[in-house]
Amino acid sequence: MSVPAAPGDATRAAAERLLRRCDELAAVSASPDGIERVHLSAEHARVNAVAAGWLREAGLATWQDAAGNQWGRLEGAEPGLPALVLGSHLDTVPDAGRYDGILGVVTAIEVAARLAPHRAQLPFAVEVVAFGDEEGTRFGTALLGSRAVAGTWLDGWWDVADAAGTTLREASTAFGLDPAAIADAARRPEDLVGYLELHIEQGPHLEAAGRALGVVTSIAGARRFAGRVVGEARHAGGTPYAKRRDALVGAGQVVVALERLAVETGGIATVGRLQAHPGGVNVVPGLVEFSLDVRAEHDATRDDLVARIEAYARETCAARGLGFELQETHRAPGVYCDAGLTESVVAGIAATGDDDPVQLFSRAGHDAMAVAAITPVAMLFVRCEDGISHHPAEAVTLDDVGLGLDALEAAVRDLARRRSAAR
Ligand code: GLV
Ligand code: MN
Ligand code: MN
């Protein structure tokens, strides 16, 4: 095994540009105190326009699709060939870092720019996509952009509302999209060669292994829920304990139990949002609304964990005279990366000097898992400092970004060689 020392000077210069571009996109935020860019917002429109400018500069034809995803296309040896798609997402969680999704998009654009002078040798077109919603921050339903592209859009989503009560249908229309045209965003499998996504790892494994890059074997499928614990709001002082039906105490008990249930089952469960109502300092909480995110390497493990959480919560709440409700808002099946496409990712990483790359299962969700419904997918991870993500402290090094860029380009070239040889 040999592990790369550092990328060359030209790559380091390109990596500097990629980091500058991540900084430029980070400045497009709805919040003055941090990064927040949600689906179908004014910020979404602005980053699409910025990305479209970079795509055109790289020599690609551009368009925004019916779901608000930004695309670019570089024709191959002849016009109209099926496309290899490179990309990731430009939306963020609240108070986000600047690389989750974004690094994959800017790197894909740079790879396309590198390939543009050699397009006559490409046995496929190269497309770049910047998906508009991977996180699900605004509507709770994740992967809206990539699921529209995969043709797995569900009509029930149109009436899902954000925190301000704006429905997805209203937000799409205000963004200038036509909800009736959503099917136009779907791509046909026969027009695609595959999908390659570069993403920061969002975990500590590459750092622990001392490697800049890793290859993804599979992606965990998440289920998300909107939960409610229903009790009775009453006077905080006047109500004796025997009469209290405190929804927050019941919800708290469930939240504390999640960790034990998850560890016992081998999955992961998180309550990221929780609100007590009516929210008076001297009122027993009568209602708690919360989010629940559950994932595992295998869907059966995840579903087992959901069942255990639900059983525990119902029993615990019933014993306290509380109601418990759980409504599913998102479900994505776990996905295995394609073996053939993954060979090209391994070859791409090997071209940077690491000929036995670390293989990882992704605990984070990615657009690749939606796109897998229509075309083979593979993923390349870039080490991030301390494994931290979904936090402003997200950090990558210049050298790692350069190695990721070289590896993604080499993966595309490897795939091109294989396909040309097979013709
Ligand atoms: C996306 O970042 C997810 O894994 O939830
Ligand atoms: Mn994310
Ligand atoms: Mn992401």
Side-chain angles (χ1 to χ4, degrees):
M1 177 194 79
S2 65
V3 175
D9 286 348
T11 294
R12 284 176 63 85
E16 274 169 19
R17 176 166 52 251
L18 297 191
L19 292 177
R20 273 199 309 275
R21 287 184 168 181
C22 290
D23 292 344
E24 189 174 334
L25 294 174
V28 183
S29 172
S31 156
D33 305 321
I35 306 171
E36 179 162 337
R37 206 165 45 242
V38 299
H39 191 41
L40 304 175
S41 60
E43 295 73 37
H44 175 178
R46 277 174 59 201
V47 292
N48 272 8
V50 172
W54 293 334
L55 285 161
R56 282 191 289 271
E57 209 176 286
L60 281 72
T62 60
W63 70 99
Q64 182 180 274
D65 72 16
N69 303 308
Q70 179 61 50
W71 291 83
R73 179 175 167 103
L74 178 73
E75 296 292 351
E78 54 194 80
L81 289 171
L84 175 68
V85 181
L86 311 176
S88 194
H89 61 97
L90 291 181
D91 67 314
T92 76
V93 295
D95 201 18
R98 59 189 60 207
Y99 303 111
D100 172 2
I102 290 76
L103 185 65
V105 173
V106 298
T107 306
I109 296 172
E110 190 72 23
V111 167
R114 284 180 168 194
L115 294 169
H118 313 287
R119 57 194 256 182
Q121 281 107 57
L122 287 174
F124 42 67
V126 172
E127 293 187 8
V128 173
V129 62
F131 289 113
D133 173 69
E134 185 266 1
E135 305 285 6
T137 305
R138 182 168 182 188
F139 294 102
T141 307
L143 301 168
L144 287 173
S146 40
R147 290 200 56 180
V149 168
T152 54
W153 186 271
L154 298 179
D155 271 345
W157 289 341
W158 288 119
D159 298 317
V160 174
D162 65 10
T166 305
T167 63
L168 179 53
R169 184 190 313 279
E170 289 162 348
S172 295
T173 307
F175 195 77
L177 302 173
D178 175 7
I182 191 69
D184 295 351
R187 299 295 301 268
R188 299 187 311 170
E190 58 270 34
D191 292 337
L192 302 173
V193 167
Y195 172 77
L196 281 182
E197 180 167 353
L198 176 146
H199 203 286
I200 56 167
E201 183 202 340
Q202 307 183 281
H205 298 92
L206 288 174
E207 190 172 72
R211 306 293 188 87
L213 307 175
V215 58
V216 178
T217 52
S218 64
I219 310 167
R223 289 176 70 182
R224 293 191 186 150
F225 301 85
R228 283 158 59 93
V229 176
V230 186
E232 188 181 40
R234 276 184 175 245
H235 197 288
T239 313
Y241 270 101
K243 275 197 159 304
R244 286 163 81 113
R245 289 168 53 226
D246 186 328
L248 187 54
V249 174
Q253 224 175 319
V254 173
V255 172
V256 170
L258 286 185
E259 204 170 56
R260 173 179 59 77
L261 294 170
V263 170
E264 282 171 8
T265 316
I268 312 168
T270 307
V271 169
R273 193 184 286 162
L274 185 145
Q275 199 163 16
H277 302 277
V281 291
N282 54 355
V283 184
V284 173
L287 170 70
V288 167
E289 293 181 299
F290 63 95
S291 64
L292 175 64
D293 175 293
V294 183
R295 41 185 106 193
E297 182 166 8
H298 302 290
D299 290 353
T301 311
R302 176 201 64 188
D303 294 346
D304 180 33
L305 177 53
V306 170
R308 288 186 197 212
I309 292 169
E310 228 181 320
Y312 175 86
R314 286 201 191 289
E315 193 181 312
T316 305
C317 289
R320 291 183 164 276
L322 302 168
F324 179 78
E325 299 162 16
L326 207 53
Q327 190 193 352
E328 191 167 64
T329 55
H330 168 74
R331 182 196 290 232
V335 155
Y336 288 93
C337 291
D338 178 74
L341 214 48
T342 296
E343 275 179 34
S344 290
V345 173
V346 170
I349 297 175
T352 68
D354 181 356
D355 54 17
D356 185 19
V358 172
Q359 305 211 349
L360 302 141
F361 127 69
S362 176
R363 289 161 180 82
H366 299 289
D367 294 294
M369 62 205 300
V371 180
I374 49 166
T375 198
V377 304
M379 287 193 72
L380 165 61
F381 271 173
V382 176
R383 165 172 58 190
C384 58
E385 194 183 310
D386 194 28
I388 194 164
S389 182
H390 286 185
H391 187 276
E394 241 172 42
V396 288
T397 68
L398 182 74
D399 282 1
D400 287 359
V401 169
L403 291 167
L405 168 63
D406 282 352
L408 188 63
E409 182 195 0
V412 176
R413 289 183 182 279
D414 179 82
L415 188 67
R417 262 191 307 275
R418 286 171 200 252
R419 286 186 69 94
S420 297
R423 276 173 137 196

